[in-house]
Amino acid sequence: MSQPIFEKIALLGIGLIGSSLARVIRREGLARHIAISTRSAATLARAEELGLGDSYSTDAREAVKDADLIIVSVPVGSSGAVAEEIAPALKPGAILTDVGSTKASVIAQMQPFMPEGVHFIPGHPLAGTEKSGPDAGFAELFENRWCIFTPLPDTDPAALEKLSEFWRRCGSNIDTMDPEHHDMTLAIVSHLPHIIAYNIVGTADDLEAVTKSEVIKYSASGFRDFTRLAASDPTMWRDVCLHNKDAILEMLARFSEDLASLQRAIRWGDGDKLFEMFTRTRAIRRSIIDAGQEVDVPNFGREAIEHPVKPAE
Ligand code: NAP
């Protein structure tokens, strides 16, 4: 096994992201000691049952004591409270990072509490599923996914390189950008798709002309692909909407304009326009597959659901 990068890593929050980190840190031997902290005794007990760390505490200060790397993996709206709580216990020279899906808000919440000598490097791994909690994590989550850093103007390059090395050994590719650019980009590639999915699934749920059983029965026609996104954690997505408000509203405004134009083409029977648009968008999927961010399997790789294997009796 290769050399650890850190002596002690503290994971604050042990849900999908925190527990995936715990698993990959262990698998790759990235730390000699993994300290786990989460606010509820029940989640902590589950993390311990799963053997995710070396020490466990509901006291975040206890967990960060002597840690060289602290990774905060909690809903973005809780970042400030966590930073305030742990600040007095942080070791000088430690690197503190987060995984939050919005960056400008996380920086505004956490930076004021950062003690002198602690390297605060905001981050966001673009990797996830619709599941949450410590059971949902897996060591391969970050493989071939991007991890974006939004370093501050005074970020120490050596600390940034050390954290980059950590994420590379978790399997990720690294990119850096400024927080506002991150928030705008993520608004279109992640936040808007989730909001649209929440909305369409909500609309279908409200329909009275079509019964709920028909929506479920015929869902393979397209609807179910939205339900995966719309099954994502409500706390996380409430916080993303509240903490990336401006960028999301900007993207929603553009989306609504384009939707109105599509609506108009349908109303006026403008087949050329519809065909041109649907052709253009098809090419985007090809580029995502070419970039290795999706597999080229028909029907979104869900053959097994369409033709389920009968379980052994
Ligand atoms: P998760 O599975 O729901 O786990 C959340 C963790 O945060 C749990 O340990 C939970 O503790 C803790 N927590 C919840 N509310 C808290 C609060 N008010 N104060 C302190 N701790 C709190 O969530 P996740 O999917 O790992 O997401 C964590 C972070 O990663 C979020 O900021 C999210 O934006 C970001 N992210 C998520 C994804 C994704 O696809 N899920 C992808 C990239 C980044 P208890 O269980 O003990 O209450």
Side-chain angles (χ1 to χ4, degrees), residues 13-17 38-40 43 74-75 78 99 101 125 127-128 132-133 236:
I14 196 72
L16 169 71
I17 302 294
T38 189
R39 66 175 174 169
S40 79
T43 303
V74 303
S78 312
V99 298
S101 307
S132 36
M236 168 182 160

Side-chain angles (χ1 to χ4, degrees), residues 12-19 37-44 72-79 81-82 98-102 124-134 136 141 194 232-233 235-237 240:
L12 309 185
I14 196 72
L16 169 71
I17 302 294
S19 74
S37 179
T38 189
R39 66 175 174 169
S40 79
T43 303
L44 193 71
V72 179
S73 310
V74 303
V76 289
S78 312
S79 314
V82 170
D98 78 303
V99 298
S101 307
T102 72
H124 179 201
L126 307 194
T129 75
E130 69 281 21
K131 304 266 169 51
S132 36
L141 179 66
H194 279 83
S232 301
D233 187 68
T235 306
M236 168 182 160
W237 284 97
V240 168

Side-chain angles (χ1 to χ4, degrees), residues 139-297:
E140 299 76 21
L141 179 66
F142 308 108
E143 241 157 63
N144 199 27
R145 295 287 172 258
W146 288 97
C147 182
I148 300 178
F149 297 121
T150 58
L152 306 172
D154 59 353
T155 295
D156 173 20
L160 180 60
E161 179 42 38
K162 197 168 179 187
L163 187 60
S164 301
E165 175 61 11
F166 168 81
W167 276 104
R168 277 195 288 270
R169 284 184 49 190
C170 292
S172 294
N173 307 315
I174 308 299
D175 219 345
T176 56
M177 57 181 73
D178 70 62
E180 289 71 28
H181 188 73
H182 167 279
D183 289 355
M184 196 57 97
T185 307
L186 267 292
I188 188 66
V189 300
S190 169
H191 307 168
L192 204 62
H194 279 83
I195 290 167
I196 292 166
Y198 279 122
N199 194 56
I200 193 170
V201 175
T203 303
D205 192 43
D206 290 342
L207 278 184
E208 281 175 9
V210 179
T211 67
K212 226 166 258 182
S213 65
E214 282 173 312
V215 169
I216 310 263
K217 185 171 165 189
Y218 302 125
S219 61
S221 333
F223 181 70
R224 72 165 184 207
D225 295 314
F226 287 101
T227 60
R228 187 185 70 75
L229 292 182
S232 301
D233 187 68
T235 306
M236 168 182 160
W237 284 97
R238 175 203 63 197
D239 279 14
V240 168
C241 289
L242 297 177
H243 290 269
N244 197 21
K245 181 175 160 181
D246 293 343
I248 290 175
L249 287 177
E250 164 70 22
M251 290 305 163
L252 268 176
R254 282 167 180 253
F255 173 79
S256 307
E257 266 180 40
D258 292 342
L259 188 62
S261 153
L262 194 58
Q263 194 175 356
R264 208 178 150 75
I266 295 170
R267 182 181 308 286
W268 294 104
D270 188 347
D272 289 347
K273 182 168 180 157
L274 295 173
F275 188 81
E276 184 270 321
M277 185 184 175
F278 299 162
T279 306
R280 188 157 57 94
T281 54
R282 208 173 197 193
I284 298 269
R285 181 161 173 84
R286 187 72 256 160
S287 6
I288 293 171
I289 293 164
D290 292 346
Q293 297 299 303
E294 172 64 300
V295 283
D296 193 7
V297 179

Side-chain angles (χ1 to χ4, degrees), residues 19-33:
S19 74
S20 294
L21 281 166
R23 288 169 168 103
V24 70
I25 292 166
R26 181 80 88 205
R27 188 190 71 188
E28 296 300 316
L30 303 180
R32 287 189 212 281
H33 184 101

Side-chain angles (χ1 to χ4, degrees), residues 102-141:
T102 72
K103 294 276 55 94
S105 157
V106 165
I107 293 170
Q109 291 178 70
M110 297 185 85
Q111 197 184 11
F113 298 109
M114 288 302 117
E116 193 73 26
V118 168
H119 304 289
F120 172 44
I121 308 176
H124 179 201
L126 307 194
T129 75
E130 69 281 21
K131 304 266 169 51
S132 36
D135 286 277
F138 50 100
E140 299 76 21
L141 179 66

